[in-house]
Amino acid sequence: MSKFMTVMMHTYRSKIKSKPFLISTLITIALLFVVTNMNEITKMFGGDEESKVAVIDKTGNTLPALQEQFKTAGADLKAEVYTKSEKDAEQSVLDGELDGLLIIDKDASGMITGSYKAEDVTNQDLITDIEMALQQIKNKAAAESIGLNQEQLAAIYLPVSFDKESLSETAKSEEEAAQVYILVYVLLFFMYMAVMMYGSMIAVEVATEKSSRVMEILISSVSPVKQMFGKIFGIVLIALTQLALFVAAGFAAVQLNGKLSGSESIIEELKLNEIPVPLIVYALIFFILGFFLYATLFAMIGSLISRVEEVNNIMTPVVIVIVAAFMIAMYGRENPESAFVAGASYFPLFTPMLMLLRVGMLSLPVWEVALGIGVLIAAIGLFAVIGARVYRGGVLMYGNAPSLKLFKQAILLSKQEKKDTTGL
């Protein structure tokens, strides 16, 4: 146990103190604060100034209604009549004096038409505000032309009354479903990124030591099994440390955004702080078990290659599986009751993401959740046994091109090495 702890803590300390780890962690935390508070940061640099749009109203009476629509909708836009020529207005736009030029006219049937000109048309928010305002004016004019008053027009656009009721006593409410939807999406993304980032870290760690020929010394003092799992647990500690920092930073960034904007944070608005504790516990269980499952695979892969440059080549099949699991999970978010998603959730390499999805989105019986956890534990045990054998032989193999044939060679070499060690 002492040798296992030595390998684990050495892996943890060496990575946690490395400059790439510290720099990537600080950059990610900074990005969390920037992205979360982007609106407030934009305002600090004058991003809240009104957009200035010149209007050439060829109808002669549409501009006041347009301005009223902007005011009602709360659009951050100032529209004023332009008395000079259209060419002059276009030049003012190019010179930066105006954000855009709107020309209002009527078609052959007498309906309002609009033509918007700007230096570029990438500001979709501004264009949408103008288009919606003109649409409202057109709707009103069309209603008046057939004799409808404002009350009748409002009745036409009044949303249909539509009630939703779950007949099952265990079904989630609409509010709970929204909370879980966000949580599941975040956790799926975290799991995907964690496996991709830290799994490759394990493979690179093993490949680096092997390429430096330190492995023969380590194997003689620490058993391959203890060494492999020492590295896996060390990387798991690193992952949990970094993810805990990201979660804490994200929470602080959201709270800061709420204070700066003077409104409720998204956590309070969506009541994410009221997410059931069992769901959080299940999320942690599937996250940790899933990470261990893939970590074992990556450690085994790392032992089969001789150079760090070969890591990406031999990792490709595992990465494809991870991407496939993530894509099925994205499909399952909209169709959690799908028989395909249910069946795929019991395939060990898909179980962490898909079972987490189903637990969050559906009210599963306890035995299904227990079966999913059992499948994961059994798969981890199987991969650990196979991985330990491949690791024992793989770390002593050099100069081979990465291929699936190396698995068989590594296992055979492991048996031979074990016989030599035991003297049998």
Side-chain angles (χ1 to χ4, degrees):
M1 181 60 71
S2 60
K3 292 181 179 180
F4 166 79
M5 291 297 295
T6 300
V7 173
M8 181 181 74
M9 295 311 298
H10 170 73
T11 302
Y12 178 74
R13 292 194 189 99
S14 63
K15 289 294 181 183
I16 209 80
K17 295 179 180 178
S18 65
K19 288 183 178 179
F21 177 86
L22 296 174
I23 293 172
S24 63
T25 302
L26 292 174
I27 290 176
T28 304
I29 290 174
L31 286 175
L32 282 173
F33 276 90
V34 170
V35 172
T36 307
N37 297 278
M38 182 61 72
N39 289 337
E40 304 304 318
I41 293 173
T42 303
K43 291 178 182 179
M44 290 172 59
F45 290 93
D48 58 341
E49 294 181 357
E50 283 186 327
S51 298
K52 297 179 181 179
V53 175
V55 179
I56 297 178
D57 186 4
K58 294 183 178 181
T59 67
N61 57 2
T62 305
L63 180 57
L66 182 68
Q67 292 171 328
E68 183 62 29
Q69 285 294 332
F70 289 150
K71 183 178 179 181
T72 303
D76 197 14
L77 192 158
K78 185 178 182 180
E80 293 183 345
V81 65
Y82 195 81
T83 56
K84 297 181 181 179
S85 67
E86 186 176 328
K87 290 290 184 182
D88 290 336
E90 291 176 359
Q91 188 60 48
S92 296
V93 171
L94 293 174
D95 293 339
E97 298 173 7
L98 297 170
D99 293 300
L101 167 65
L102 175 64
I103 302 172
I104 304 174
D105 206 345
K106 289 185 179 182
D107 59 18
S109 62
M111 291 291 102
I112 296 293
T113 63
S115 175
Y116 180 74
K117 298 181 180 182
E119 187 173 359
D120 60 68
V121 289
T122 56
N123 190 343
Q124 291 300 315
D125 289 339
L126 174 60
I127 294 173
T128 301
D129 287 339
I130 296 173
E131 190 173 0
M132 289 182 65
L134 289 175
Q135 184 66 49
Q136 290 296 325
I137 295 172
K138 181 180 178 180
N139 291 344
K140 182 179 178 181
E144 290 175 349
S145 68
I146 58 176
L148 293 178
N149 57 35
Q150 288 299 312
E151 289 75 14
Q152 292 170 323
L153 182 62
I156 291 174
Y157 288 100
L158 186 68
V160 64
S161 178
F162 188 75
D163 294 328
K164 289 168 279 187
E165 180 181 355
S166 298
L167 297 178
S168 173
E169 294 180 357
T170 59
K172 291 179 171 61
S173 66
E174 187 175 2
E175 186 177 82
E176 290 174 334
Q179 295 170 353
V180 169
Y181 189 89
I182 295 173
L183 176 66
V184 167
Y185 181 83
V186 172
L187 288 175
L188 287 175
F189 184 76
F190 260 86
M191 183 177 291
Y192 173 77
M193 293 303 298
V195 171
M196 294 292 286
M197 289 171 55
Y198 303 110
S200 61
M201 188 184 294
I202 292 173
V204 170
E205 178 77 9
V206 175
T208 300
E209 289 184 355
K210 185 178 177 182
S211 63
S212 64
R213 299 291 175 129
V214 177
M215 196 60 72
E216 292 93 335
I217 301 174
L218 292 175
I219 289 294
S220 63
S221 57
V222 183
S223 70
V225 176
K226 289 182 180 179
Q227 186 179 341
M228 183 180 77
F229 282 99
K231 289 186 177 297
I232 290 174
F233 274 85
I235 300 297
V236 167
L237 286 179
I238 293 170
L240 293 178
T241 300
Q242 196 168 43
L243 291 176
L245 290 173
F246 291 161
V247 170
F251 179 79
V254 168
Q255 294 296 101
L256 177 62
N257 179 258
K259 292 180 179 178
L260 292 176
S261 62
S263 59
E264 287 186 336
S265 67
I266 190 172
I267 294 176
E268 296 168 340
E269 186 177 348
L270 298 177
K271 298 183 179 179
L272 297 180
N273 53 338
E274 298 179 8
I275 292 174
V277 174
L279 179 58
I280 297 176
V281 173
Y282 281 136
L284 290 174
I285 290 173
F286 283 112
F287 180 85
I288 293 173
L289 290 179
F291 189 88
F292 272 113
L293 182 71
Y294 280 101
T296 306
L297 284 177
F298 281 115
M300 182 171 62
I301 287 172
S303 68
L304 293 175
I305 57 181
S306 303
R307 297 177 300 173
V308 177
E309 293 81 4
E310 297 172 348
V311 170
N312 290 333
N313 294 332
I314 203 166
M315 276 176 55
T316 301
V318 181
V319 171
I320 291 174
V321 172
I322 299 170
V323 173
F326 185 75
M327 296 303 293
I328 295 173
M330 291 298 98
Y331 164 78
R333 281 199 315 151
E334 304 295 337
N335 304 276
E337 296 181 351
S338 167
F340 171 71
V341 174
S345 67
Y346 293 104
F347 177 62
L349 296 177
F350 293 168
T351 299
M353 292 187 185
L354 299 187
M355 190 57 73
L356 171 61
L357 170 77
R358 296 182 66 221
V359 168
M361 301 298 291
L362 304 173
S363 297
L364 294 182
V366 176
W367 70 266
E368 284 198 44
V369 182
L371 180 59
I373 294 174
V375 166
L376 268 180
I377 293 174
I380 291 172
L382 178 63
F383 287 166
V385 172
I386 298 175
R389 292 182 180 180
V390 173
Y391 191 94
R392 183 191 294 271
V395 293
L396 298 177
M397 295 170 57
Y398 293 93
N400 297 292
S403 68
L404 294 177
K405 293 181 180 180
L406 293 182
F407 280 90
K408 182 178 179 181
Q409 296 176 14
I411 291 175
L412 293 175
L413 186 59
S414 171
K415 291 180 179 179
Q416 184 61 44
E417 190 269 339
K418 187 175 182 180
K419 288 181 180 179
D420 294 342
T421 302
T422 57
L424 297 177

